[in-house]
């Protein structure tokens, strides 16, 4: 029996030699009447209703009749909040998980199993699947600072993330070119720097209600939102809005280019520490996640001691809100509190400081530029994207192991994998998805699936069938010559 084509590949898939479950007007989702479970049931009903063109009802009692999709919480699964079991028979589908998040992952698998034949019958093959993720942090970082992504476009990307079982949306909200989150205590950040972008393109920013809508929409799909305020470099949008953050007291000019490393905060200015405290406090007020990202990358014009002071001030501002700190790999050169998450992006540097940071209690999130920076060109002929980290074809994004990336790194220090897409050359949603797809699916499988279950030949065959899904959504994507696409 051929392999069932699921991305990412589950721990265990057992196809059954039995009739499928048919979706029809009698199909009903049954769930215990708890708010977090009702939300999942509504998502199931909506997803299956769309693909089957049938109205799917939600009920709170299982009468044992045919056509039921039963959602149930159980502790009889691997010790992961996202572990699930999916059992499909002709008469019913049982979806079991340790948590609502696990049910959502099972829903995604169920959605990928649904097929409609030439006669218009929509069904799910008889199968038993047990699954759990390799890593608890499986993310996508989106740069909305170089070019802004409106809320509705961001929701499309969130939907894609959910489809491939990614669970962290990391929003790079500030940079030299623009500031994208309204900060009540410093309104000029968006009033002055919310309207700028690379190349003089239109800017934009998220109001508190916009950000709340993003968090709610992502949360319904089992995705957390981690906001990033990048300091003490990448701050020209801030110094353009507030001259008090510069040694001269004068605002810097707006910047719409794509160079990095020239902007900075100054530790000894009276305005700097209050600015950091106020900004991170306001971010925490609108962001419910346990983590806030402080940036910390590419500060090329600052002495190490001043850099360490500013990173420490930013980290303390975050911790004072009860949140945990995430930062790019450069922060590993400063004193870190145990549990701080270091996002590793540049494998070209000496690994020793990262190994030492891990031994001191830091955790590592793997985002190597040569594998996961999905704004890199596919090859030299790619119209969009950059090339500083090389070219990244689909196989490059797939063939690597997060736990062997840094020589000497204790495997238990690695908490996850995160793709990143920077928008210097990406002006809109079609440009963004053309770079994300199909590579986002490759990185998602690296993050979800145990290495012994991954192989390139299997993945290239399974991902080939995803093209039809992308086409149905009207998404732009790259038809890599490494894959024999089925559309």
């Amino acid at each position: 029996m051929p392999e069932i084509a699921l991305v990412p590949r589950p721990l265990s898939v057992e196809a059954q030699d039995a009739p499928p479950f048919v979706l029809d007007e009698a199909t009903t989702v049954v769930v215990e009447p708890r708010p977090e479970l009702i939300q999942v049931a509504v998502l199931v009903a909506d997803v299956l209703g769309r693909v089957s063109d049938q109205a799917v009802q939600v009920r709170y009692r299982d009468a044992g009749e045919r056509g039921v999709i039963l959602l149930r919480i159980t502790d009889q699964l691997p010790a992961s909040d996202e572990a699930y079991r999916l059992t499909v028979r002709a008469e019913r589908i049982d979806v079991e998980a340790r948590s609502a998040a696990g049910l959502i992952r099972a829903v995604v698998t169920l959605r990928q199993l649904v097929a409609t034949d030439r006669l218009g019958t929509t069904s799910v093959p008889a199968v038993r699947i047990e699954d759990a993720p390799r890593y608890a942090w499986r993310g996508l970082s989106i740069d909305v600072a170089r070019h802004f992504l409106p809320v509705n476009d961001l929701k499309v990307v969130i939907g894609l993330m959910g489809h491939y079982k990614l669970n962290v949306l990391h929003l790079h909200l500030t940079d030299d070119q623009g500031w994208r989150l309204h900060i009540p205590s410093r309104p000029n950040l968006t009033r002055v720097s919310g309207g700028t972008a690379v190349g003089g393109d239109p800017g934009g920013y998220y109001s508190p209600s916009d950000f709340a809508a993003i968090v709610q929409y992502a949360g319904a799909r089992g995705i957390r939102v981690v906001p990033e305020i990048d300091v003490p470099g990448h701050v020209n949008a801030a110094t353009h809005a507030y001259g008090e953050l510069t040694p001269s007291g004068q605002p810097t000019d707006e910047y719409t280019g794509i160079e990095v490393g020239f902007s900075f905060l100054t530790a000894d200015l009276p305005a700097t520490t209050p600015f950091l405290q106020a900004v991170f406090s306001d971010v925490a007020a609108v962001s419910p996640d346990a983590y806030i990202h402080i940036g910390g990358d590419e500060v090329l014009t600052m002495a190490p001691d001043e850099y360490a002071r500013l990173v420490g001030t930013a980290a303390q501002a975050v911790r004072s809100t009860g949140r945990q700190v995430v930062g790019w790999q450069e922060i590993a050169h400063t004193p870190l509190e145990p549990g701080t998450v270091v996002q590793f992006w540049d494998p070209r540097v000496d690994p020793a400081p990262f190994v030492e940071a891990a031994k001191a209690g830091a955790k590592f999130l793997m985002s190597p530029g040569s594998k996961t920076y999905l704004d890199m060109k596919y090859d030299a002929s790619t119209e969009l994207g950059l090339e500083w980290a090389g070219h990244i074809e689909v196989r490059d994004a797939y063939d690597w192991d997060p736990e062997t990336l840094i020589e000497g790194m204790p495997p238990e220090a690695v908490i996850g994998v995160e793709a990143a897409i920077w928008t210097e050359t990406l002006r809109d949603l079609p440009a963004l998805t053309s770079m994300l797809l199909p590579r986002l699916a490759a990185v998602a499988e690296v993050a979800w699936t145990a290495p012994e279950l991954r192989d390139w030949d299997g993945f290239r065959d399974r991902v080939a069938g995803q093209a039809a899904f992308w086409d149905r959504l009207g998404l732009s994507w790259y038809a890599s010559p490494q894959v024999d696409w089925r559309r």
Side-chain angles (χ1 to χ4, degrees):
M1 188 174 292
E3 180 180 9
I4 294 174
L6 296 170
V7 180
R9 188 179 188 182
L11 276 175
S12 170
V13 180
E14 298 177 11
Q16 309 295 306
D17 187 13
F21 177 94
V22 176
L23 290 161
D24 57 27
E25 65 278 359
T27 301
T28 305
V29 180
V30 176
V31 69
E32 183 182 346
R34 290 161 47 186
E36 70 275 18
L37 302 185
I38 293 171
Q39 181 172 264
V40 178
V42 170
L43 179 64
V44 177
D46 179 62
V47 167
L48 297 183
R50 289 174 186 271
V51 297
S52 66
D53 199 26
Q54 303 276 356
V56 177
Q57 302 298 315
V58 175
R59 293 207 318 260
Y60 306 128
R61 187 172 64 87
D62 179 12
E65 67 267 48
R66 294 175 62 88
V68 165
I69 302 170
L70 177 64
L71 309 182
R72 187 169 71 90
I73 298 297
T74 177
D75 59 3
Q76 303 302 306
L77 283 166
S80 164
D81 281 347
E82 296 173 283
Y84 68 88
R85 181 187 299 122
L86 178 64
T87 307
V88 181
R89 293 167 287 178
E91 64 274 14
R92 65 186 290 127
I93 297 176
D94 287 289
V95 184
E96 302 169 283
R98 295 185 67 93
S99 68
L103 291 176
I104 291 172
R105 306 303 167 229
V107 170
V108 170
T109 298
L110 181 61
R111 169 64 184 86
Q112 289 195 28
L113 289 169
V114 173
T116 301
D117 64 21
R118 294 179 181 179
L119 299 177
T121 300
T122 302
S123 63
V124 183
V127 67
R128 179 182 171 88
I129 295 172
E130 294 206 13
D131 201 7
R134 183 183 187 189
Y135 294 115
W137 188 310
R138 305 177 309 281
L140 172 63
S141 173
I142 304 178
D143 167 25
V144 295
R146 272 53 174 262
H147 280 107
F148 181 66
L149 197 64
V151 172
N152 286 340
D153 289 349
L154 192 56
K155 287 180 176 180
V156 173
V157 180
I158 291 170
L160 276 176
M161 292 176 63
H163 192 72
Y164 296 111
K165 297 185 173 71
L166 297 173
N167 67 345
V168 180
L169 171 62
H170 165 189
L171 288 177
H172 182 79
L173 292 164
T174 69
D175 215 296
D176 294 315
Q177 298 85 355
W179 191 285
R180 306 301 181 207
L181 180 65
H182 176 67
I183 301 296
S185 65
R186 298 293 189 278
N188 278 357
L189 290 169
T190 48
R191 184 180 299 144
V192 174
S193 294
T196 51
V198 165
D201 286 347
Y205 65 89
Y206 305 121
S207 68
S209 60
D210 289 334
F211 194 80
I214 293 166
V215 169
Q216 189 280 329
Y217 189 85
R221 287 149 184 81
I223 297 170
R224 299 160 34 214
V225 179
V226 174
E228 179 188 348
I229 304 297
D230 200 350
V231 296
H234 290 274
V235 292
N236 194 76
T239 56
H240 174 55
Y242 286 98
E244 65 197 59
L245 297 174
T246 71
S248 70
Q250 298 300 309
T252 54
D253 295 334
E254 70 176 48
Y255 182 71
T256 59
I258 64 171
E259 296 302 317
V260 299
F262 62 89
S263 63
F264 55 89
L265 295 177
T266 301
D268 289 331
L269 289 179
T272 299
T273 294
F275 174 82
L276 293 172
Q277 292 171 337
V279 166
F280 285 113
S281 177
D282 284 357
V283 170
V286 297
S287 177
D289 196 71
Y291 289 90
I292 293 176
H293 203 301
I294 64 171
D297 61 317
E298 297 177 320
V299 184
L300 307 181
T301 58
M302 187 178 293
D305 60 339
E306 184 174 21
Y307 173 80
R309 286 175 59 196
L310 286 165
V311 167
T313 301
Q316 178 55 39
V318 168
R319 288 195 298 271
S320 71
T321 70
R323 304 309 203 276
Q324 295 174 273
V325 174
V326 191
W328 295 105
Q329 70 183 44
E330 288 89 336
I331 71 168
H333 296 272
T334 72
L336 300 177
E337 291 283 328
T340 299
V341 176
V342 177
Q343 189 163 5
F344 182 77
W345 66 273
D346 188 356
R348 300 171 296 183
V349 298
D350 180 8
F354 309 116
V355 175
E356 289 304 310
K359 290 178 179 177
K363 300 299 181 182
F364 278 75
L365 179 61
M366 296 308 192
S367 301
S370 58
K371 302 292 185 180
T372 68
Y373 272 31
L374 304 186
D375 57 300
M376 293 298 109
K377 294 176 180 286
Y378 291 93
D379 58 33
S381 67
T382 306
E383 180 180 356
L384 299 172
L386 302 175
E387 299 175 282
W388 64 263
H391 299 147
I392 303 178
E393 251 290 1
V394 183
R395 186 166 188 173
D396 300 312
Y398 185 82
D399 265 347
W400 63 286
D401 186 350
E403 291 180 6
T404 62
L405 193 63
I406 302 176
E407 185 177 355
M409 174 68 65
E412 62 274 13
V414 179
I415 64 166
V417 172
E418 188 168 283
I421 189 156
W422 305 94
T423 60
E424 287 94 337
T425 69
L426 310 179
R427 303 175 66 178
D428 52 29
L429 182 62
L432 197 74
T433 62
S434 71
M435 302 300 279
L436 288 175
L437 301 173
R439 296 180 295 188
L440 185 66
V443 177
E445 184 152 305
V446 173
W448 180 276
T449 305
E452 62 270 18
L453 297 177
R454 291 200 293 115
D455 69 274
W456 165 247
D457 288 337
F459 175 77
R460 70 183 293 272
D461 183 63
R462 284 179 288 111
V463 80
Q466 297 295 304
F469 171 66
W470 303 333
D471 285 343
R472 282 195 298 273
L473 295 179
L475 300 175
S476 298
W477 58 279
Y478 170 68
S480 168
Q482 294 184 338
V483 177
D484 297 326
W485 298 100
R486 299 189 299 274
R487 305 177 69 170

